[in-house]
């Protein structure tokens, strides 16, 4: 296992956002995180990335509590792509990707061949080689997301955490981006809104409701008619897709 959450609880003031959450990722899998708005998905991802500290419980990497790991070492190991990741300066794409090498360098160290190789490989893997010298402001939304993923890959992580990376993208770019992530030789934890995309691309799904895990398993095990009613308040038909065999959800109505 790589990332393990052991009975973690996290609060804002007296309000419990995450309540006794426990699970473990499997090396190389794509774990989809689902749940209604306000269920605690973003908070959980930020805890897994070490950006927040649980009030109780622990998060570990290969058995080591992340609170005992330095921020630099965490950044070398785990990459986090936020939902609203942005770059204010009008840099070239290649310069954005180079930012991913910061955790591996000291303040005064020279740029190395290893750094350059990591950047070139990240650009290639994210499909951004042709855009390497384009300015940030000239990129489409999908291209910007790919550039941020390339920056994350330049960190050479073993795990990548993504918070709804397909938000505000058209369907073509959503599919392309999820295909890219699913093909990465990394453990990935990704929050998604689209249940059919989650079923299509994720190896396992973890479902949150009001800060608690209510289901965890394969898409076939998790995406049932009853769960869709109980968690998402929708009536739907669930049947295997003729194209990929994963569950295909056909929504019929919301439950008021």
């Amino acid at each position: 296992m790589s990332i393990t959450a052991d009975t973690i609880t996290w609060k804002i003031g007296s309000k419990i956002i995450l309540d006794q959450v426990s699970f473990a990722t499997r090396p190389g899998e794509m774990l989809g995180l689902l749940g209604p708005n306000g269920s605690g998905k973003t908070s959980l991802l930020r805890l897994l990335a070490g950006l927040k500290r649980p009030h109780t419980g622990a998060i570990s990497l290969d058995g080591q509590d992340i609170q005992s790991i330095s921020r630099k070492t965490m950044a070398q190991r785990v990459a986090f792509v936020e939902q609203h990741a942005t770059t204010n300066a009008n840099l070239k794409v290649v310069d954005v990707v180079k930012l991913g090498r910061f955790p591996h360098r000291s303040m005064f160290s020279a740029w190395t061949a290893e750094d350059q190789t990591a950047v070139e490989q990240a650009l290639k893997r994210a499909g951004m080689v042709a855009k390497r010298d384009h300015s940030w402001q000239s990129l489409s939304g999908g291209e910007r997301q790919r550039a941020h993923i390339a920056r994350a890959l330049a960190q050479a992580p073993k795990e990548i955490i993504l918070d709804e990376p397909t938000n505000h993208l058209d369907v073509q770019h959503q599919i392309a981006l999820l295909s890219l992530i699913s093909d990465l030789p990394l453990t990935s934890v990704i929050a998604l809104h689209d249940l059919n995309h989650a079923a299509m691309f994720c190896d396992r799904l973890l479902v949150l409701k009001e800060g608690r895990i209510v289901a965890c398993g394969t898409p076939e095990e998790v995406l049932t008619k009853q769960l869709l009613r109980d968690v998402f308040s929708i009536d739907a038909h669930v049947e295997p897709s003729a194209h990929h065999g994963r569950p295909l959800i056909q929504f019929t109505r919301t439950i008021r």
Side-chain angles (χ1 to χ4, degrees), residues 29 40 43 50 63 81 88 103 111 131 143 162 164 166 171 227 250:
E29 78 170 341
S43 297
V81 180
N88 293 324
W111 188 256
K131 298 285 185 177
E143 290 167 344
L162 307 103
E164 298 184 9
T166 58
V171 173
L227 179 129
Q250 297 179 327

Side-chain angles (χ1 to χ4, degrees), residues 50-224:
L51 301 179
K52 295 181 181 292
R53 182 191 295 261
H55 289 90
T56 62
I59 297 167
S60 59
L61 281 174
D62 295 336
Q64 182 178 2
D65 191 326
I66 64 172
Q67 298 304 322
S68 68
I69 303 174
S70 71
R71 292 184 67 86
K72 182 174 182 177
T73 301
M74 273 292 293
Q76 292 171 348
R77 170 72 187 260
V78 180
F80 182 39
V81 180
E82 299 188 72
Q83 182 178 161
H84 301 296
T86 185
T87 298
N88 293 324
N90 190 23
L91 302 172
K92 290 183 178 180
V93 168
V94 67
D95 293 325
V96 172
V97 178
K98 284 181 177 180
L99 296 174
R101 295 304 298 166
F102 277 16
H104 297 273
R105 306 175 67 240
S106 64
M107 185 177 298
F108 300 108
S109 62
W111 188 256
T112 67
E114 182 181 1
D115 293 324
Q116 191 62 36
T117 297
V119 168
E120 297 301 333
Q121 289 178 345
L123 285 165
K124 182 176 181 180
R125 193 176 289 170
M128 292 298 289
V129 172
K131 298 285 185 177
R132 59 176 295 127
D133 293 319
H134 287 221
S135 71
W136 176 260
Q137 301 300 339
S138 72
L139 300 181
S140 68
E143 290 167 344
R144 290 185 181 189
Q145 286 290 58
R146 282 179 173 268
H148 278 302
I149 290 173
R151 174 187 52 76
L153 295 178
Q155 291 177 227
K158 291 185 179 180
E159 292 86 15
I160 185 168
I161 297 170
L162 307 103
D163 189 6
E164 298 184 9
T166 58
N167 256 15
H168 311 303
L169 301 184
D170 59 33
V171 173
Q172 175 190 2
H173 288 113
Q174 289 179 29
I175 297 294
L177 195 65
L178 291 172
S179 295
L180 162 65
I181 295 164
S182 67
D183 288 340
L184 294 174
L186 305 172
T187 302
S188 57
V189 182
I190 178 171
L192 293 168
H193 265 308
D194 192 301
L195 302 180
N196 280 314
H197 286 171
M200 187 186 308
F201 289 101
C202 296
D203 299 300
R204 288 194 303 149
L205 301 175
L206 187 152
V207 184
L208 287 174
K209 181 181 180 182
E210 297 177 351
R212 285 182 171 269
I213 294 176
V214 295
C216 186
T218 65
E220 293 83 358
E221 293 168 338
V222 168
L223 294 176
T224 64

